[in-house]
Each structure stands twice: as C-alpha cells, then as structure tokens.
Amino acid sequence: MFRGLFVCVSLALILWGTIEKVQGKASKLWLQPLNETFLQTGVFPSGFLWGVGSAAFPTEGSWDADGKGESVWDRFTHHRDPSSDSYIQWEEDLKSVQYLGVNFYAFSLSWTRIFPDGDATANPNPAGVQHYRRLIGKLKELHVEPVVTLFHWDFPQVLQERFGGWLNRSTADVFADYAAFCFRTFGAEVRFWITMHNPYLLALQGYGTGAHAPGVTGDPADPYIAAHNLLRAHAKAWHIYDKLFRPHQNGKVSITLGSYWVEPLHGQATPANVELCQKTMESVIGWFAEPIYGSGDYPESLKASHRGVIPEFSVQERLWMKGTADFFSLAFERETLKVGKGLARFGLMVNLDLRSVLVWVQQTYGDPQVLIAENGWFSDASVGVEDTVNIYTMKSFILQVMRAVSVDGVRVFGYTAWSLLDGFEWNDGYRIRRGLFYIDFSKAERHRVPKTSAHFYRRLVRDNGFPAENTPHIEGRFPCDFQFGVSESVLQVHLHPFSPQFTDPQLYRWNLSGNGALTPVTGVLLHTRPAQCTDFLFIQRHLFLLGVTGSSHYRFTLDWTQLAPGGDPASVDPEKVRFYRCLLMELQRRGIHPVVILYQPSNLSSSLGLPQPLHANGGWRNASVVEAFVKYAVFCFHEFGALVSTWITINEPNRLNDLYAKERQTVARHLLLAHAKAWHIYDAQFRQKQGGAVSLALHADWVEPANPFLESHKSAQQQFLEFELEIFLDPLIGEGNEGRGNTLIGFSDNERAELKGALDFIALNHFTTCLVSPWKHPKPLNLEHGCSRTKDPTWPRSHLGQALVPWGLRRMLGWVRNHYGDRLPIIVTAAGVDDHAVHDDQLRQSYIRSYLQEALKARELDGVNLKGFYVWRLQDHRHDIKYGLFSSAAHHSRPKASVSVYRDIITHRGFPSTADQRPLTCWDTDNGTSCELCTRIAENKPLLFFSVCVSISMSMLGVLIFISVVRKRRKKKRKMPTNVRVHQRFAMMRVAHGTGLLRH
C-alpha cells in the first residue's frame, strides 16, 4: 500500500507542480506527431552494430562460488539456484552469441565476484578477475566486441549494511575506486564501458517503493538522494577514465538510462496535457539525462515540484557533471514501462513508442550518438522455444529504430537485443522469460536452445535490417483489354428520386395565392408519354460518379429479395426489373461494361440476402434453394443477358459457408451445385447468342505462416488455403476426384461431372493478408480449417484494423496460377480499404497504387493471366465503413483524392516510365486494336482545340467576306433612273395585290 501511495504522490508532485512554460522542440512531438511512414523494409547504415546483452545476477548463478560475496539481490530474493549457470557455462554462452552473428556482447560485471565486500582498495578475488578476463579475451578472439557494464543493480550487501547503500555520499567514492580497478584491469580490450544500468529504477524502486533491492522505503527524499549519489558516482568514474585511461585505451564511457513514452489519453493534445507529457519525460529520463547531457543540473520542472527534497548541485558540480558521457545509452524495456502504469489517472498513457523517445532525446540533448543498450520484451514461462509474439515485438521495436534513423535522422549506431538467455528475472524470478535462448530450469544441464526469436534475430543481423524481399517498383502498362473497374455490393432498387415529367397529365398554375404552391387547373388534361429510363434520376447521378473514375467496368449485385420477394420468377416486380434494365442500358450507352452478381450473401441481412421464404425454409441447408436459385438465374439471363457480358453467380460462397458452422459441408455442396447448374444452363441456352462468361467470386485474402521458422505454421498456411479456396475451386477446375472439395464434401460421380469445368474465369476478392498458426485450444465450430488468424503489428493498418500488405496480392495470384495453371483468366473483382478521411484519403491512395503495382508485377514478371482489377467501392453509404471513392449522398457525393489517383492510373493504363507519360488511348478493345489517330489526338488536345477555334474563326470570316461581296454586286446591278424604278415598283405592287400575294 505504501509503495503505491509513494508512486502516486511522486507523480502528482511532478505533474501538478509549479506550472512552467514548456520549451524546446521536443514538446512539439505531442502537437505535431512524427511523419507517418509505411516504411517496412530497409537496411541500417554500413557499420551499424548489432549486439545482444545479459546481466550478471539473472544469469551467472554460483552466488557464493569461488569466493563471491553476497549482493543486495542475493539477500532480497534469497535466490540460491544456479540460474542460467553462466559463470560455469560461459563458453556455451559465447557459442550462443556466435550463432546470432552479432558484433558485440553486452554484459555486466558482478561487483561482489571481483570484490566480495565491495571494497576496491582491498585485494580482488582472483577467481572473479580470471573469469572476466577469460570471457573478454575469448570475445576478442571471436571478433565480438565486449560492451561492459560496471554495475547492474547487484550492489555489495556489505556496503549496503556499512554505508546504507546509495543514500551515503561516500558510496560514490567507493564506486569510483571499483571503476578505476576495472578500467585498469580490463580496459585494454574494452572499447565501450557503461558505468551503471538504468539508475532510475534503482533509485525509485530500490529506495522509494521498495519493489527492488535493497527494498528501502520510508523517507520521500530517499530516491532523490540515491539518484544524486548515483550521478556523482558515474561522473567520478567518467572523469577517472577520461583523465587516466582514455589517452592510451581510446574507449568510450556512458551510462544507460531507461525511459518510456507518454501521450495524452485519447489523443487530447491540449497545452496542459502536452506540458504534463513533457514534465513526465523530464521526470524519468530527464532526471538523469539533463545533468549529464544538458545543463548539468536537474530539469527545472523536477526542481520546482520537489524543492527542499531534491539535492542541489553547486555551480562547480554542474560544470563537473555536464558532458560526462561519450554517447547516449538508452534502455527501453518492460520494467521501466511498468512504473508508468499509474499515469492514466493523470490523463496520460504509456506507449511502446521507441521511435518517439529517440527523437525526443535527439531534440532535447543536441543530437547525440545513441546506443540502444537494452531492448526487448518478455513471454510467459510456459511459452518455450516457439515465442512467436516475441518475434513481432522485436520486429516492431527494430522497425521503430530504423524509422528514427532513416526518416528522423537520429544517430543510432548500435542495438542490443535483450537478453541472450532465459534467467532468474530479478523479483519476477522464473515466472517470465526474456531470453533469445531457452533454458529448462527443471534440468541441471541448463542447455541453451535457440528460440524462434533467436532465428529471427540471426537473420536480421545477417541482413543488417529488413531488405526488400519483393521486386521493387516496375514500370509498365496494362493491355487495352485489361478491366479497370469499380465494385459495389447489392445495388438497391431506387424508385425515388423519380422524375414525373411528361407522365403527369395535370396542368398546374404556380403561386396563384402567393404561397409558391402549384395549383391544378381543373378541366385541362395534357398528353403523356410512357415511362422512360430517364425517370430514374438515381441512375444518372450514380453513373455520373462512376464515369468520373474513368472505369471501363462496373461490378454490382442484383437484389434478389427485391426482384423476386417470393424467391421465384412468379413473384417478380416488373418495375424493379425495369430499373435494372434501365441501369444496364445506361451503362451500355456510356460504354461501361457491367459485371452482374446474381446473389451476394450478407450477414447484415436477417435472411443472409435470400428471399424470406427461402431463408425460412432452411436457406442453403435445404436442397430446394438450389432449384430456386437456378430459376432465378435463368430469369436474369433472359431478362438482362443481352446487356450483360459477365456474370457472377454467387459472391464469396466461402464466407457464407462460415455462417453455417454446423452444416458447412452441406451448404458448400448446395452452393457449388447451384452455381454449376446455372453455368450449364447459360452455356446451353444463352452463351451462343449473348456471348457472356460466368463464374463465382471467392474471398481470397492471402495468409503467411505467423512463425516462418516452424513447420507447423507452414502447414497451417496450406491447410487454411485448402479450406478457403480449394474446397470451391478444386471441384470446378481442379483434378477431379483428387480435389480437396470433392473428397471433403463427397460429391457423387454425376455431380462431379456436372461441376467439372463449370467456370469461365477465376474471380477473386482480395483485401488484405493475415498470419496463420495452428489453433492450440479446443477448435471453435466455425474454424474447421483449425487455424488461428492474426496480424503482424508492424504492418500499416486502417482505422478498422485492415492491414496493408500489397505483396500479399501478388503471392495470392501466384498461388492460384501454380495450383490451377493459366488456362483461365483471373480477375480481382474487389479490392479496397477503409479510410475515414473526408477528402485526402492517403491510406486508400497508397492502397490503390501499391496493390495495382503488385498486380502489374504478377502479370509481367510472374506470367499470371490477370485480366482485371476492381476497386471496392464506388460510394460511402450513410452508415457504412468508409470504403467509398466518393462520400455518401448525404455528404453531397464529393470525390475523394483517391478518385484522381485511380483515374490517372487508368488513363496511363498502369505505371509508364517517366519518359513516356502520354495517356494510352485504346480503340476497339474487343478486337485488340488501337487507333493511332486517337492516340495522337489524346496527346495533343490543347493544340487540337486551338486549331478548331482558328478554323471556325477563319470560316466565319470567309462567310462574312463572301456575303459582303455579293451585296455589293447586287447594288451595282440595281443602279437605274429613279422614275423607271418607281413605275416598275408600283407595277409589281399592283401585281402582288392582284394575285393576293401581299397581305397586311
């Protein structure tokens, strides 16, 4: 209780102390977040140092062997177990280091193994000195640089009892003597020294809350006194090295400081919240960094909130303290982050944002060189060697470092993965694991077994980061017959708005009484005309938006529930049939090819998109729905087939199958038979006259093994694809009896024959990529594939959590080609992402560019017979999830920026070279020919317009000149004596009157 109270009081004093104006660039990090980047690949600069680390207490064991003295952690935990047994098996440790291929190994010296009672003026323990000499010497032989920490919390128990530990000012002098001995004894072979590791936790937890050794609690001033003496000890050690050892050893000395990152709760970056964030950072990392890297004194906010408690530096001490580090050494790990858990009550939250911490250090302390001296996470003790989550945690952290280096310019020169081995993790003991190498602590041998995270880190070190596995951006164009389209879901029948013009026989008077109303004129009726397609104003408005995109194809679904509410053609509504026919006619008039889906399941519909009577009769569980669907399909082929060249019978039957958890096989059977019967009827009765193609569309997101180092995860990937795609494709275009769908569902021989070949093209709806792993717990009913799905946390994500993984599309297309050949063309009939931006939908713009780029690679590099790509969807609906290229009608159907991006790609038919940016105009795409004249015209539209204007002007001028000349000639012919003209004129008038030609 006291520990929690102490933390709360301390935080309150820090955060709500004297209000100071926040200064410096670093405070802008909460007002202007770092540049959002989708950077997923890249390598670190040449010479970047990769390392791995460990600490003495959790790993060495042998707590009292060979003359070692007791430390405060030995006393605090009463731990007497061999731990990782690294004191004995240090050579096995180095084999593990070698396996990783790292540049350096960071470890700490056990103070009490060298000086059992902590007194460096006494004789050292020969066994301890010899141990570390062997370790350092062997590392040098292996060309692995030792990075040596003098003190990682295991303070001598004798000194704790004699002086009161770090509360005694003289402890700094004792530490300086110890440091001088280590520099003198080991310094010839050590380039990098760390005086102490994360003094923040030692001061706060060891002398404040008592959660860490030595477990001191009581006086609120104790943490600040301990911190003050730790800083003094560090500075003394640095000055000793700088004066006595640097000239001939040429090493570098620093201190490792721990930190976390804080942000305003719910993103409310008010000035007050920003100030709280800045003060929090100053109270954690700034507590120790400001005296060393900044002013030589504590942060002003910390001094203001702790006057009379926090010790003061004299002017001379500030000058002496400032600059006592040769690089910035940073720890970003679990223990420090745990301390920040209580910040929520102050309106702040802790975030695992290592990149922001690095940029804050850069902007606050003058862009120092930075070593990540500790970074890693933990897993439960039961995880073992298959630590998949740790792989992605490590990947996330290292990607943050890479972005800080490549985007923000932070000068990070090395990274330390923590830790090398599982060990006795301080006061957590064996409950958690942090090692790259697994140790079974129930066995005396303590064998080091590499975890999958060790394999991952080894590969990362070898590659110096994340080199791009996929082909970089390519230039090229899609052919003229490639289908650039837009997809919609069920296109509802819109009988309103409706234009009554020429269909209302009534005549009206307007504003007769001054009220602006229309008043019928009684007794007068006008002629009317029959209903026309122009009556449906929705169609014109909707297709106008489609035209703006430049798309050549439009995919939408007929609403079976509205067309035939009873489920069969006898219940067809003629007016709704007319609506769809008018829509198709208007598409044809505009030169846009329709791709029509007969049935699209929807879990948002209570009947799953089926007419209610069919759903009430069991839906797709009942075989009768197959015949009902076939009758409906025949009706649509007959009514609309002359206007439709591409049909999709059922959209995403594999997703519908998931909704029938207990009867998946029965439902899959009925769906496939319904499609096949409809296909055969079209093939026999309509294809010759209409010339169309029929398919079904499958949801086809790609999956990757969650852990690429485990065969079980690779098997899960194959198993998932079998149940997701093969179950529907194999019966239609697979190997007949050997297909997964045939064997799983159990079709009869006649049914197999009916199914085989009933597909004219492969339609895939692809949105994202997931990770799969075997389901380890009792399998849910709706997971027949037995796989658990998750996402790589480092992948860019949309507001709804959809991952952007463009290369997944290419891999999916390649998988389909490898399994089913390239006889049938493939069309991506839907691909899109949600983006809640009102106009500048940058996420969707990136999605369209990158996914179409991967589609081009699949065509040009992999030989995939890809014939089309459709963006999902045309327009937001009032309550939808923002997939649209246009805002909803309620928001005036405004185009988003992605419309321009997509139209530009369509105009250029892909990604032409910078030297050839002319639009590619196709002519007569059905015949595969192009019009050279059309291309020339498209390239020179301004010149053509100017030429037409000049031609018209010259023609008009010529006409005017001609008329003027003609008039002048007529005038000359009419020049005669006046009297003759008058007599003639009157005579002609008399003739005119006489003949009745002149009328008044």
Side-chain angles (χ1 to χ4, degrees):
M1 179 177 177
F2 175 81
R3 296 174 183 176
L5 179 62
F6 176 85
V7 172
C8 294
V9 171
S10 298
L11 289 170
L13 288 170
I14 292 167
L15 299 177
W16 299 102
T18 304
I19 301 299
E20 303 268 347
K21 179 70 175 177
V22 177
Q23 302 290 338
K25 294 181 181 178
S27 60
K28 296 180 181 179
L29 289 173
W30 295 283
L31 297 172
Q32 299 174 354
L34 297 173
N35 293 331
E36 185 175 358
T37 173
F38 298 148
L39 184 67
Q40 294 290 304
T41 60
V43 295
F44 283 81
S46 177
F48 189 86
L49 301 178
W50 295 99
V52 65
S54 64
F57 173 75
T59 62
E60 282 189 352
S62 303
W63 76 277
D64 62 348
D66 295 337
K68 179 186 176 295
E70 185 182 24
S71 74
V72 292
W73 275 97
D74 293 326
R75 178 71 61 88
F76 188 74
T77 60
H78 305 288
H79 178 60
R80 302 294 184 262
D81 195 75
S83 299
S84 312
D85 204 26
S86 288
Y87 178 69
I88 304 297
Q89 300 194 48
W90 61 273
E91 291 179 292
E92 296 301 313
D93 290 353
L94 297 194
K95 289 179 183 178
S96 301
V97 171
Q98 267 190 295
Y99 175 81
L100 296 173
V102 292
N103 307 110
F104 67 86
Y105 176 44
F107 63 94
S108 68
L109 305 176
S110 171
W111 191 341
T112 56
R113 196 173 295 283
I114 298 174
F115 295 102
D117 60 359
D119 183 5
T121 61
N123 292 326
N125 176 22
V129 173
Q130 181 62 24
H131 170 71
Y132 292 118
R133 274 186 170 150
R134 286 197 307 262
L135 178 61
I136 293 171
K138 188 63 175 181
L139 284 169
K140 299 298 283 189
E141 285 181 25
L142 298 173
H143 304 289
V144 177
E145 199 67 45
V147 176
V148 181
T149 298
L150 297 173
F151 171 57
H152 194 138
W153 304 350
D154 49 349
F155 191 72
Q157 181 64 30
V158 171
L159 295 182
Q160 183 67 34
E161 295 172 357
R162 184 183 302 169
F163 295 114
W166 290 103
L167 296 178
N168 193 313
R169 186 177 178 86
S170 62
T171 303
D173 299 316
V174 176
F175 179 81
D177 292 336
Y178 163 62
F181 172 85
C182 294
F183 295 150
R184 182 167 53 252
T185 305
F186 311 117
E189 295 186 296
V190 177
R191 285 178 52 209
F192 296 99
W193 290 97
I194 303 295
T195 56
M196 55 188 66
H197 189 92
N198 205 344
Y200 168 79
L201 282 179
L202 175 56
L204 185 65
Q205 302 281 65
Y207 291 87
T209 66
H212 282 188
V216 175
T217 59
D219 194 332
D222 283 352
Y224 303 99
I225 295 171
H228 195 74
N229 289 325
L230 285 163
L231 279 166
R232 290 178 58 253
H234 158 75
K236 282 177 178 288
W238 186 89
H239 280 291
I240 287 171
Y241 187 86
D242 189 57
K243 182 178 180 180
L244 301 178
F245 299 98
R246 192 190 305 276
H248 58 277
Q249 292 183 358
N250 297 314
K252 294 184 177 182
V253 180
S254 187
I255 177 174
T256 295
L257 303 181
S259 186
Y260 48 72
W261 182 248
V262 290
E263 290 182 352
L265 205 60
H266 309 305
Q268 298 175 349
T270 63
N273 282 344
V274 170
E275 184 169 357
L276 290 178
C277 289
Q278 177 70 8
K279 284 185 175 183
T280 302
M281 293 300 294
E282 291 173 353
S283 69
V284 181
I285 190 169
W287 185 1
F288 294 86
E290 183 64 23
I292 297 170
Y293 301 96
S295 62
D297 198 358
Y298 296 115
E300 290 298 324
S301 60
L302 195 64
K303 294 195 296 182
S305 59
H306 292 83
R307 294 195 188 281
V309 177
I310 192 167
E312 296 182 3
F313 288 113
S314 66
V315 175
Q316 292 79 10
E317 285 177 323
R318 292 176 195 168
L319 295 173
W320 174 75
M321 179 67 63
K322 184 177 180 180
T324 55
D326 302 318
F327 56 92
F328 200 106
S329 183
L330 177 68
F332 193 81
E333 40 67 50
R334 169 181 178 265
E335 282 297 314
T336 308
L337 292 163
K338 280 172 59 179
V339 176
K341 289 191 303 183
L343 290 172
R345 71 190 69 188
F346 302 106
L348 304 179
M349 64 178 181
V350 174
N351 199 320
L352 298 179
D353 191 349
L354 175 55
R355 179 187 174 192
S356 289
V357 174
L358 289 168
V359 175
W360 189 89
V361 168
Q362 176 199 48
Q363 296 183 357
T364 304
Y365 300 117
D367 193 20
Q369 284 193 312
V370 179
L371 171 68
I372 311 276
E374 178 187 359
N375 182 231
W377 207 237
F378 71 99
S379 60
D380 188 80
S382 62
V383 169
V385 297
E386 298 183 6
D387 58 340
T388 303
V389 173
N390 277 0
I391 289 177
Y392 292 98
T393 306
M394 178 184 288
K395 181 183 178 184
S396 177
F397 283 136
I398 296 176
L399 272 174
Q400 290 183 50
V401 177
M402 186 173 75
R403 291 165 186 161
V405 171
S406 59
V407 178
D408 309 312
V410 181
R411 297 196 298 153
V412 181
F413 68 89
Y415 175 88
T416 312
W418 201 274
S419 68
L420 177 65
L421 308 170
D422 286 342
F424 186 84
E425 291 297 331
W426 310 98
N427 48 349
D428 284 312
Y430 294 131
R431 292 191 298 272
I432 66 170
R433 302 298 183 92
R434 297 191 64 192
L436 294 174
F437 285 78
Y438 172 79
I439 294 178
D440 185 346
F441 294 108
S442 67
K443 297 181 179 179
E445 295 82 4
R446 301 296 201 256
H447 292 308
R448 281 90 167 110
V449 182
K451 302 180 184 179
T452 53
S453 57
H455 301 311
F456 171 79
Y457 189 55
R458 181 184 189 219
R459 186 177 67 183
L460 190 149
V461 171
R462 179 199 66 198
D463 296 338
N464 196 33
F466 306 95
E469 297 180 9
N470 299 292
T471 309
H473 181 92
I474 66 169
E475 296 174 343
R477 298 181 190 262
F478 293 95
C480 284
D481 62 350
F482 190 82
Q483 302 175 15
F484 286 103
V486 173
S487 291
E488 267 291 345
S489 57
V490 176
L491 191 61
Q492 302 287 341
V493 174
H494 290 77
L495 299 181
H496 301 282
F498 178 82
S499 173
Q501 190 177 18
F502 305 122
T503 61
D504 186 354
Q506 188 68 56
L507 179 68
Y508 296 90
R509 298 178 65 181
W510 176 71
N511 205 27
L512 181 64
S513 59
N515 61 356
L518 291 171
T519 305
V521 177
T522 56
V524 179
L525 295 177
L526 304 175
H527 292 291
T528 61
R529 58 145 173 85
Q532 297 183 6
C533 287
T534 53
D535 298 338
F536 299 113
L537 300 182
F538 167 82
I539 293 177
Q540 300 296 326
R541 296 174 184 176
H542 190 71
L543 297 190
F544 171 78
L545 302 184
L546 181 63
V548 172
T549 68
S551 299
S552 60
H553 288 69
Y554 182 43
R555 194 210 78 166
F556 66 92
T557 306
L558 303 175
D559 191 342
W560 190 0
T561 63
Q562 287 192 307
L563 269 177
D568 62 85
S571 63
V572 163
D573 185 332
E575 187 65 6
K576 291 170 183 175
V577 172
R578 188 171 77 89
F579 172 85
Y580 282 123
R581 188 181 293 116
C582 286
L583 174 69
L584 292 167
M585 291 172 63
E586 183 62 21
L587 283 168
Q588 185 182 63
R589 189 185 71 81
R590 293 171 180 255
I592 299 173
H593 301 276
V595 177
V596 179
I597 300 172
L598 294 175
Y599 169 60
Q600 177 158 327
S602 172
N603 56 6
L604 300 178
S605 165
S606 60
S607 64
L608 301 180
L610 285 172
Q612 190 59 42
L614 297 179
H615 180 70
N617 197 33
W620 289 99
R621 302 183 188 92
N622 195 320
S624 63
V625 78
V626 175
E627 294 306 318
F629 176 80
V630 172
K631 291 178 182 179
Y632 163 64
V634 171
F635 171 81
C636 293
F637 295 153
H638 181 270
E639 289 292 327
F640 310 123
L643 299 168
V644 178
S645 59
T646 307
W647 292 95
I648 292 175
T649 55
I650 303 169
N651 188 58
E652 299 190 352
N654 47 348
R655 281 290 169 267
L656 177 63
N657 208 29
D658 291 340
L659 301 177
Y660 292 91
K662 296 181 179 180
E663 295 137 310
R664 291 169 58 94
Q665 295 180 11
T666 300
V667 170
R669 175 194 188 86
H670 292 158
L671 288 166
L672 280 165
L673 289 174
H675 160 77
K677 290 177 183 295
W679 185 91
H680 279 287
I681 288 177
Y682 186 87
D683 189 58
Q685 300 179 22
F686 298 97
R687 190 187 302 276
Q688 185 174 3
K689 183 177 181 180
Q690 297 177 0
V694 182
S695 183
L696 52 74
L698 297 175
H699 191 99
D701 286 342
W702 182 242
V703 292
E704 285 284 314
N707 194 324
F709 304 100
L710 295 175
E711 289 301 320
S712 61
H713 286 226
K714 295 176 184 177
S715 298
Q717 176 193 32
Q718 182 58 38
Q719 185 174 342
F720 182 88
L721 292 171
E722 286 176 357
F723 278 88
E724 187 76 354
L725 297 177
E726 290 183 15
I727 194 172
F728 286 94
L729 287 178
D730 275 10
L732 299 172
I733 55 175
E735 296 299 321
N737 293 335
E738 297 176 9
R740 181 72 178 181
N742 290 310
T743 57
L744 183 67
I745 297 174
F747 292 109
S748 68
D749 291 341
N750 290 336
E751 289 170 339
R752 289 193 183 97
E754 186 176 26
L755 289 165
K756 191 162 182 64
L759 207 67
D760 298 325
F761 61 94
I762 301 173
L764 305 175
N765 299 338
H766 175 90
F767 293 88
T768 187
T769 294
C770 298
L771 302 174
V772 289
S773 58
W775 190 271
K776 294 186 178 181
H777 307 290
K779 184 176 64 178
L781 289 174
N782 64 339
L783 285 181
E784 192 169 344
H785 48 67
C787 300
S788 173
R789 280 180 288 181
T790 185
K791 297 183 182 73
D792 184 335
T794 67
W795 287 341
R797 293 192 187 190
S798 69
H799 181 80
L800 294 174
Q802 179 181 326
L804 269 70
V805 192
W807 48 261
L809 171 61
R810 183 181 175 189
R811 295 189 184 182
M812 172 55 75
L813 293 172
W815 184 89
V816 172
R817 179 183 182 273
N818 292 337
H819 275 68
Y820 301 106
D822 52 11
R823 180 181 65 84
L824 294 181
I826 302 173
I827 301 175
V828 178
T829 47
V833 67
D834 65 286
D835 191 327
H836 287 231
V838 175
H839 172 70
D840 189 16
D841 51 348
Q842 294 185 18
L843 191 70
R844 185 178 294 108
Q845 295 173 55
S846 175
Y847 184 98
I848 291 173
R849 288 193 191 97
S850 57
Y851 275 68
L852 271 167
Q853 172 67 201
E854 293 300 315
L856 184 64
K857 292 176 187 176
R859 270 189 58 89
E860 300 301 314
L861 303 180
D862 306 333
V864 175
N865 187 14
L866 182 65
K867 291 294 186 180
F869 183 95
Y870 292 62
V871 171
W872 173 268
R873 59 192 295 177
L874 181 63
Q875 187 173 17
D876 294 336
H877 292 183
R878 184 182 297 272
H879 302 297
D880 76 352
I881 49 181
K882 307 299 182 184
Y883 273 91
L885 294 168
F886 291 83
S887 63
S888 66
H891 293 87
H892 311 292
S893 302
R894 293 189 178 94
K896 301 174 186 177
S898 54
V899 174
S900 177
V901 170
Y902 190 38
R903 185 182 181 90
D904 185 65
I905 293 173
I906 294 173
T907 300
H908 294 90
R909 303 205 69 79
F911 305 90
S913 65
T914 53
D916 182 19
Q917 286 294 313
R918 60 191 174 90
L920 180 63
T921 303
C922 295
W923 184 263
D924 193 8
T925 56
D926 293 336
N927 297 325
T929 61
S930 63
C931 173
E932 181 65 25
L933 176 61
C934 298
T935 303
R936 297 277 186 182
I937 291 173
E939 292 175 0
N940 299 283
K941 287 181 180 178
L943 181 61
L944 177 64
F945 178 74
F946 178 73
S947 300
V948 170
C949 291
V950 171
S951 299
I952 293 173
S953 300
M954 294 301 294
S955 300
M956 293 179 65
L957 181 60
V959 171
L960 290 174
I961 293 172
F962 176 77
I963 293 173
S964 177
V965 170
V966 170
R967 284 181 175 178
K968 287 181 180 179
R969 288 179 179 177
R970 287 179 178 176
K971 286 182 180 180
K972 288 180 181 180
K973 290 180 180 180
R974 290 176 181 175
K975 284 186 179 179
M976 299 178 66
T978 306
N979 57 343
V980 175
R981 291 201 309 271
V982 173
H983 289 306
Q984 288 178 344
R985 183 173 56 191
F986 280 108
M988 291 175 69
M989 291 177 66
R990 283 197 297 271
V991 173
H993 276 291
T995 60
L997 296 173
L998 191 63
R999 293 289 184 266
H1000 295 285

